[in-house]
Amino acid sequence: MADYDDIPTLKENIDRATVDSVRSLDVDKYKYGFETDIESDMAPKGLSEDTVRFISAKKNEPQWMLDWRLEAYARWLTMTEPNWAKVHYPKIDLQDMYFYAAPKSTPAPTSLDEVDPELLKMYDKLGIPLKEREILAGVERPKVAVDAVMDSVSVVTTFREELSKVGIIFCSISEAIREYPELVQKYLASVVPVSDNYYATLNCAVFTDGSFVYIPKGVRCPMELSTYFRINEKKTGQFERTLIIAEADSYVSYLEGCTAPMRDENQLHAAVVELVALENAEIKYSTVQNWYPGDKDGKGGIYNFVTKRGDCRGDNSKISWTQVETGSAITWKYPSCILRGDGSRGEFYSIAISNGYQQVDSGTKMIHLGKNTSSRIIAKGIAAGFSDNTYRGQVSAHAKAKNARNFTQCDSLLIGDKCGAHTVPYIESRNGTAVFEHEATTSKISDDQMFYCAQRGLDEEEAVALIVNGFVRDVLQHLPMEFMVETQKLISISLEGSVG
Amino acid sequence: MTTPILEIRNLHARIEDREILKGVNLIIPPGEVHAVMGRNGSGKSTLSYVLAGKEDYEITDGEVLLDGENLLDMEPHERAAAGLFLAFQYPIEIPGVATMTFLKAAINSQRKARGEGELSTPDFMRAVKTAGTELNIDTDMLKRPLNVGFSGGEKKRAEVLQMALLQPKMCILDETDSGLDIDALQVVSKGVNALRNGNRSMLVITHYQRLLNHIVPDVVHVFSDGRIVESGDKDLALQLEAKGYADFDGAAA
Ligand SMILES: Nc1ncnc2c1ncn2[C@@H]1O[C@H](COP(=O)(O)OP(=O)(O)O)[C@@H](O)[C@H]1O
Ligand SMILES: [Mg+2]
């Protein structure tokens, strides 16, 4: 198998091209000064204390929140970007970026005729209704768009009414900061500390959007909570902040993202997601991420640097992450669990697909602190084209974590011989009673398998889709039912053109 | 004259620099079962792969018609949809894909290629159940990933099950008897015989005569060094068994 490193010139060209396309996005077309203008919809370009103040003011935030952000910003100035992930990308010039309402590089399309036909083909295959396609593709036809937004707003309102009957809070993080300051102050950055890592600290200073969920004691959330509507309502920000709190004996299942590819002008995404599960509570967090991976030459995709962490704070609590990653030019994310409560359990089920020139570095951390804690990791990486796919996982047991148990299964599937898959497990046990098991496999779709499938009538794409869906079966079944079928379709589509 | 289901004319094929098929000629009319017998390494499996379109081979001469259509111009999956089925000597494992799922995908993509609608799930289930019962294949086996951990007998039964469901015009069975005990051989042969009809033709490849006691052929061909060197009725198989292949080697030279 050829490793990505074997083709440096090609890779440099891609990096170059990505830089160029990012440059052309901002620099030439918009020349704004540095004065702070609250009335403007745009923050001044670049990052400074002024940018942070502007964002906080725009969000009508209380003083404590502004102070918190400024402190994070001061901290961030002392930090350096991590470089240990196995991803390569040109340096991102933060002073050349907009942190609030970035201007569009090109005028928004006014009809679907002006939208990238490849994107439309994909919507078609996913069976997305016309109206939604327009919104996803960013078509600005005020009438239609407004109607659709109204639709989703009213759906959300109905939702929220039903939820509030049982005491559940589901709103934007900005709203929570204004309406539920005690909860936010108590839990924000209690899982991912402000100084956790370069991107997380940056997020603290400049986050603009995200969700807040609060499930009261003993309540089982009656429906799947989804960001889907909220994203339709408004373009997702590049620095999202999500906070989910499950009080004792409660349960919630939360779904982030959607299978449709989102066009987005923002190149860098650095979200922070924090989950807190108290005694006996369970949080299921599923992500289907399908951001624009860049065109077939690797140009213009999104960089996704995310910090996701769950804290099993109470005894016998449970947090389970399920993710399907098919998008982004570069993905760097490690949804993790801190198993603090005795008998708590963490799970991580992941499907990471890379094609074209995508680079994925993803995995999880299971930190066993409490007694009798257990964790389970099933990671399936699929690499096609010229892509590079790394699983990076850490499992550790603290001295007090008696009888900690982990099972890790890590499988890679390679399609073609120009891609790479890597497994980097770190295992650390300071406890003689801990039992950690790790299994890893790497396989290829063989010519014999392709020929066998062809002999039964399947064309190459059908054969690859069938084999890949078989490969990810154990993870797929952990997704909420209604997303399983969609995800299967998405997997086939993501791998189109990967053979032959 | 009716169009033969399979017509092979002067077929030459090589792998890398080695010529394996050296002028195969064979005509199989509708409804007939032909056996090809020959010693190991004579090129029987190569013939079946070349017909099915495996890409490792270079065809240097000759022509193949499937029901009058030029087979060699088609992609492997198009040949399948056109009605060519190969029961593999060594069936390939497809991990994670339940046998049932695989069957459904295969049937529906062939139907799609022929411009027919997808089979409804109840119709599909009924067809699988009927064919499965015949071959002693239960639902548990259908839930297992295709060929993964299957015994020799299970693999061959699964091949015949696929053949039964896909309803091909032309069946090629490559050493379907290998790795089978006598009971399994009977089950598989019964399954194959049930598929014989006036329109469907079969090419049964074997190097043991015993299979032909169960699947009785209309014509027997002796294959040696990449070509057919002798043809006759089913008694030719018995002669071969008695005298060995040596008598036929070089017969056509
Ligand atoms: N991939 C290959 N590369 C080179 N030679 C091959 C390959 N596959 C088969 N052969 C050779 O072709 C000849 C015919 O093989 P095969 O068709 O499998 O014979 P049979 O099925 O009659 O036993 C043998 O000599 C075998 O070694
Ligand atoms: Mg053979």
Side-chain angles (χ1 to χ4, degrees), chain B residues 15-16 18 20 38-47 56-57 89 174-175 223:
Chain B
I15 185 156
E16 279 139 33
R18 226 179 112 196
I20 313 275
R39 59 166 102 224
N40 266 330
S42 57
K44 305 183 298 295
S45 290
T46 302
L47 175 64
D56 314 345
Y57 303 92
Q89 179 170 4
D174 191 4
E175 308 268 2
F223 205 81

Side-chain angles (χ1 to χ4, degrees), chain A residues 118-239:
Chain A
E118 286 305 310
L119 205 58
L120 294 181
K121 236 192 262 170
M122 183 140 178
Y123 292 158
D124 193 40
K125 287 176 185 153
L126 283 166
I128 292 169
L130 201 69
K131 244 185 194 179
E132 282 179 35
R133 289 185 207 189
E134 293 197 334
I135 299 165
L136 289 167
V139 171
E140 265 179 19
R141 217 169 60 197
K143 197 112 202 316
V144 175
V146 168
D147 284 354
V149 169
M150 294 300 278
D151 282 356
S152 71
V153 167
S154 62
V155 170
V156 170
T157 313
T158 329
F159 251 32
R160 282 172 58 170
E161 271 166 17
E162 200 174 321
L163 292 170
S164 69
K165 271 187 222 152
V166 285
I168 292 173
I169 304 168
F170 179 33
C171 63
S172 77
I173 190 87
S174 310
E175 192 180 334
I177 289 167
R178 293 190 303 268
E179 305 292 324
Y180 312 101
E182 346 54 61
L183 282 175
V184 174
Q185 275 176 297
K186 182 168 175 193
Y187 290 106
L188 189 70
S190 74
V191 184
V192 179
V194 172
S195 58
D196 191 76
N197 69 72
Y198 184 84
Y199 298 115
T201 309
L202 176 63
N203 177 289
C204 292
V206 299
F207 75 83
T208 49
D209 204 353
S211 301
F212 177 82
V213 176
Y214 177 81
I215 315 289
K217 191 166 188 294
V219 170
R220 212 186 145 83
C221 184
M223 62 183 84
E224 221 53 79
L225 295 186
S226 162
T227 52
Y228 183 74
F229 293 106
R230 198 174 51 70
I231 287 170
N232 269 1
E233 185 187 344
K234 199 172 158 197
K235 255 194 178 174
T236 171
Q238 49 190 143
F239 298 97

